[in-house]
Amino acid sequence: MEDTVKQEDHFNEKLEKGDFIEPKDWMPEKYRKTLIRQISQHAHSEVVGMLPEGNWITRAPNLRRKAILLAKVQDEGGHGLYLYSAAETLGISREELLDQLHTGKAKYSSIFNYPTVTWADIGAIGWLVDGAAIMNQVMLQRTSFGPYSRAMIRICKEESFHQRQGYEIMVALSKGSAEQKQMAQDALNRWWWPTLMMFGPPDAISSNSADSIKWKIKRETNDELRQKFVDRTIAQVEYLGLTVPDPKLKWNEARGHYDFGEIDWAEFNSVVKGNGPCNRERLKARVGAHKNGEWVRDAATAYAKKQAAKAAGSLVA
């Protein structure tokens, strides 16, 4: 008992000093489980997030757009790998993480359960969804768990490219024909509210936010990040000549922030529970891709074993 108290005191001291907690360090079990939940959910979101955009690679309007989108989708797959690797340092296997995703036990961001019905949706995802992700992820570069922090440094650099790519699409559409501008407005109308939901439930009812803040896994709350996103995005909307689908949106001089309408949390909860427009489609596609790639994983494992055996034989000789 005394040893545990000393270990916990040392853990708290490292947090207070701003030092990283590393995989071999002692940590409270709840801290470890919280990290596994958050990092794995983040990883799942990256790989599932490839699906709505991958659907448009063959339909991008020109070769330049196709190449950029292909690079972006490839980046998302890499982000998933970084994050799965970070989660594995906490003592959980890649197989277990993927099994939790494929069986529906683990969650991923609700935003990826909405359809991409026009090319403008690819712009809106890059601009709004990746913009919101950056808002979340910049603070995670300073998260208390070392492997997660280091993964986020590279991820944030690439996400910044994704956000600019999306906004460029929206600029081209909004400055184009009347039909193209309407397409951009329609995408904004459909993606605005789900993007605000991405930051998670209000702080007053969030079951995980308080512990994450206490342990410096997160540095800002859901509501703080959501407000920051709205404040920074409105000027971009105005430049595009578009309109936010929120009649209650207005600048509050006293607060120094924008006021905005109430989010439909019933819709959010329904999507999280598996009842969104594309929940079943996304999970089916992900499970199918994993199954179809089994032969590749088996071949890579067999090759690695063969090379290891050769190396061992050379050492003996």
Side-chain angles (χ1 to χ4, degrees):
M1 180 66 180
E2 185 177 343
D3 286 344
T4 302
V5 171
K6 287 182 179 179
Q7 289 172 325
E8 190 162 0
D9 286 344
H10 182 61
F11 171 83
N12 289 328
E13 286 173 10
K14 293 191 74 172
L15 290 181
E16 287 303 313
K17 288 193 297 184
D19 293 343
F20 285 133
I21 305 301
E22 298 294 348
K24 291 184 178 180
D25 293 340
W26 183 92
M27 62 187 74
E29 183 61 16
K30 193 174 180 183
Y31 175 83
R32 188 184 76 85
K33 288 183 177 179
T34 297
L35 280 170
I36 290 174
R37 178 192 58 78
Q38 181 170 328
I39 298 173
S40 64
Q41 181 175 310
H42 192 165
H44 300 330
S45 298
E46 295 284 357
V47 296
V48 174
M50 299 165 68
L51 298 173
E53 293 179 303
N55 185 43
W56 276 90
I57 290 174
T58 59
R59 296 185 287 164
N62 56 48
L63 183 60
R64 175 176 174 271
R65 297 291 188 195
K66 191 186 302 288
I68 292 171
L69 184 58
L70 186 62
K72 181 188 176 185
V73 171
Q74 179 177 273
D75 283 348
E76 307 293 7
H79 297 173
L81 291 176
Y82 304 152
L83 293 164
Y84 284 132
S85 296
E88 285 178 306
T89 68
L90 291 159
I92 188 169
S93 70
R94 184 80 55 95
E95 291 73 19
E96 187 176 353
L97 290 168
L98 291 174
D99 182 67
Q100 290 175 356
L101 171 63
H102 298 157
T103 58
K105 181 180 179 181
K107 305 299 181 185
Y108 55 87
S109 180
S110 62
I111 195 77
F112 299 119
N113 290 311
Y114 291 86
T116 47
V117 296
T118 71
W119 173 248
D121 288 34
I122 303 304
I125 288 175
W127 169 39
L128 297 174
V129 175
D130 291 329
I134 291 168
M135 199 71 68
N136 256 317
Q137 293 170 7
V138 164
M139 70 167 179
L140 292 174
Q141 293 178 105
R142 299 180 293 114
T143 190
S144 59
F145 186 57
Y148 195 18
S149 170
R150 291 186 283 273
M152 292 313 307
I153 291 171
R154 179 167 180 174
I155 289 174
C156 283
K157 291 178 181 177
E158 294 177 351
E159 290 290 1
S160 295
F161 153 75
H162 300 167
Q163 198 269 347
R164 290 194 295 271
Q165 171 256 356
Y167 194 63
E168 184 200 13
I169 292 173
M170 297 299 281
V171 169
L173 291 172
S174 65
K175 306 304 179 185
S177 66
E179 290 81 2
Q180 287 174 319
K181 185 171 183 178
Q182 182 54 48
M183 186 188 295
Q185 181 64 61
D186 177 63
L188 173 58
N189 291 346
R190 287 182 289 104
W191 289 94
W192 177 257
W193 291 108
T195 300
L196 295 191
M197 296 175 193
M198 278 181 67
F199 294 99
D203 296 339
I205 63 172
S206 174
S207 58
N208 299 307
S209 191
D211 282 339
S212 292
I213 293 291
K214 178 181 71 174
W215 287 320
K216 298 186 178 181
I217 296 172
K218 290 176 63 173
R219 300 283 180 158
E220 296 175 83
T221 70
N222 297 348
D223 288 338
E224 288 170 344
L225 291 167
R226 192 171 7 253
Q227 182 69 66
K228 185 185 293 187
F229 174 80
V230 172
D231 291 346
R232 293 188 182 180
T233 306
I234 299 306
Q236 297 170 359
V237 176
E238 292 172 348
Y239 177 80
L240 294 172
L242 304 179
T243 304
V244 173
D246 180 1
K248 294 184 178 180
L249 181 76
K250 64 178 180 179
W251 177 254
N252 186 321
E253 192 67 40
R255 293 178 60 234
H257 296 287
Y258 280 95
D259 293 335
F260 53 93
E262 179 63 27
I263 295 170
D264 185 353
W265 292 112
E267 176 185 336
F268 171 79
N269 290 327
S270 179
V271 175
V272 168
K273 291 176 181 177
N275 301 314
C278 298
N279 286 69
R280 293 170 183 80
E281 176 185 336
R282 298 285 184 251
L283 200 55
K284 181 180 179 181
R286 186 67 196 85
V287 172
H290 186 72
K291 184 177 180 181
N292 291 338
E294 185 174 5
W295 70 272
V296 179
R297 296 190 298 276
D298 289 345
T301 300
Y303 179 77
K305 288 180 178 178
K306 184 177 180 180
Q307 294 301 105
K310 281 185 179 180
S314 298
L315 289 173
V316 171

